[in-house]
Amino acid sequence: MPGLDVSRLRCGLLILLATLLGGCSSLSYYGQLATGQWQLLQAREPVADVIADPGRDPALRKHLALAQQARRFASETLHLPDNRSYRLYADIGRPFVVWNVFATDEFSLDPLSHCFPIAGCVAYRGYYSLGGARGEAALQRQAGKDVFVAGIEAYSTLGWFSDPILNTMLGWGDERLATLIFHELAHQRFYVKDDTAFNESYASFVEQEGTRQWRAARGLPAVRERRAGQREALTRLVLDTRQRLRALYTQPLPATLMRERKAAEFERLRQEYRALRDQQWPGDKRFDAWINAPLNNAKLLPFGLYEQWVPAFAGLFAQVNRDWPAFYARVEQLGKLAPTERQAALQALIPIAPVTPITP
């Protein structure tokens, strides 16, 4: 557009983002969020242009072409938003798009939450640079907190911007990239503030059922990934550990004894994992690095939230005869309920064992 003042536009966007994200944290924190998102937006280019350019990496072009088939399937068959998201590509030149910093008190499993007007309250703070995340982690450790820093390959802006396929996502393989597109577009279709378990379980169900239909549409057999079963087994061990720790932290023990018993629970987790690995996955050490690294409360926070209510959404999908528009309409009805009513309604959709609500 002739005469467009790009610097002023950029400044306006930073102010807009700070307003949208607003809250009580420092201006510098929101400044890095706004700058990071702006840089990501600036790196975007149409996927169609990359695919059509013979000078680009052939493997990248093939990968993106397959991703666009999944993108069309998402809108045409799964009735997910039909917009520019994941029809753009951005190479941001680093292995993760953001680094999330999780923190808890030393003897608590409750996260230090951070609340934003759009996304609601979340159990972490995100940084667009590893240095920024490490700086925040150091401050939290100085305050006596348990801290964990996790690199994140992708995130959703919930439809506020056209989210691109990132170079950070390309190492997952074609099918995993497709499932991520289904998952993130599900968040764009519907999102409830302050209910991570609901949002992630809903999007995980759309991802899983969408992948089954995506494979069937291409004449591929249904596959239960062996590694998915391994992740489920590890998750169960972690959730059991979290339950024991939660009980431990309610006891009136002196800090020294509490630390000893806390360390013993983490060592029990390691021993149970090794026994499970050696009995069921001999020679497979894919989780060894995670389990052998330092463990603390914060490192356990992400487990379980993505799967908690998946069986409920599967039951809901069956109730509406596997009709996607009807399914989304019912999901929106659930999202309008008060939190306790929502949990009760989700529980009623599961015909077998009751689900224990997971607090991150």
Side-chain angles (χ1 to χ4, degrees), residues 149-210:
V149 178
I152 307 299
E153 292 93 345
Y155 66 86
S156 173
T157 61
L158 305 178
W160 284 88
F161 300 102
S162 297
D163 296 320
I165 297 172
L166 299 168
N167 66 292
T168 57
M169 301 156 58
L170 297 182
W172 296 347
D174 292 324
E175 183 160 302
R176 181 67 189 94
L177 179 55
T179 66
L180 178 107
I181 290 172
F182 301 158
H183 185 106
E184 299 301 344
L185 286 174
H187 283 313
Q188 287 193 18
R189 172 107 197 199
F190 189 69
Y191 182 88
V192 178
K193 291 176 66 172
D194 305 332
D195 196 337
T196 301
F198 178 91
N199 293 323
E200 296 302 345
S201 296
Y202 148 69
S204 291
F205 171 74
V206 174
E207 168 191 325
Q208 293 169 18
E209 179 59 30

Side-chain angles (χ1 to χ4, degrees), residues 213-250:
Q213 295 188 17
W214 171 234
R215 291 185 64 85
R218 293 177 295 152
L220 300 176
V223 172
R224 177 172 175 79
E225 184 189 358
R226 175 174 178 263
R227 291 191 170 187
Q230 293 174 334
R231 285 194 298 271
E232 291 171 5
L234 176 63
T235 295
R236 178 45 52 194
L237 290 180
V238 170
L239 295 182
D240 290 345
T241 301
R242 213 158 65 183
Q243 186 173 3
R244 293 194 301 269
L245 285 169
R246 193 175 295 279
L248 171 64
Y249 295 152
T250 64

Side-chain angles (χ1 to χ4, degrees), residues 28-49:
S28 62
Y29 174 68
Y30 289 110
Q32 68 88 26
L33 286 182
T35 299
Q37 179 64 38
W38 171 259
Q39 291 172 345
L40 190 152
L41 295 176
Q42 289 293 91
R44 297 177 306 174
E45 57 184 321
V47 166
D49 290 353

Side-chain angles (χ1 to χ4, degrees), residues 124-146:
Y124 54 83
R125 286 179 68 131
Y127 290 83
Y128 281 89
S129 72
L130 180 56
R134 285 176 171 168
E136 171 68 15
L139 291 175
Q140 295 293 349
R141 290 191 185 99
Q142 288 177 4
K145 308 298 184 183
D146 277 17

Side-chain angles (χ1 to χ4, degrees), residues 290-355:
W290 187 90
I291 203 76
N292 291 329
L295 295 173
N296 61 31
N297 298 326
K299 194 170 181 177
L300 307 187
L301 287 177
F303 280 82
L305 293 174
Y306 281 60
E307 301 87 13
Q308 181 176 348
W309 296 115
V310 168
F313 288 108
L316 178 60
F317 194 62
Q319 277 191 9
V320 298
N321 297 315
R322 302 172 62 81
D323 179 86
W324 283 110
F327 170 76
Y328 296 126
R330 290 285 301 278
V331 169
E332 291 178 14
Q333 291 174 5
L334 288 170
K336 294 176 182 178
L337 298 175
T340 54
E341 294 176 339
R342 188 183 308 135
Q343 286 194 358
L346 288 167
Q347 183 64 68
L349 290 166
I350 304 174
I352 311 174
V355 173

Side-chain angles (χ1 to χ4, degrees), residues 45-56 61 64 87:
E45 57 184 321
V47 166
D49 290 353
V50 179
I51 294 172
D53 185 353
R56 303 295 285 266
R61 295 166 63 199
L64 292 178
R87 293 186 169 110

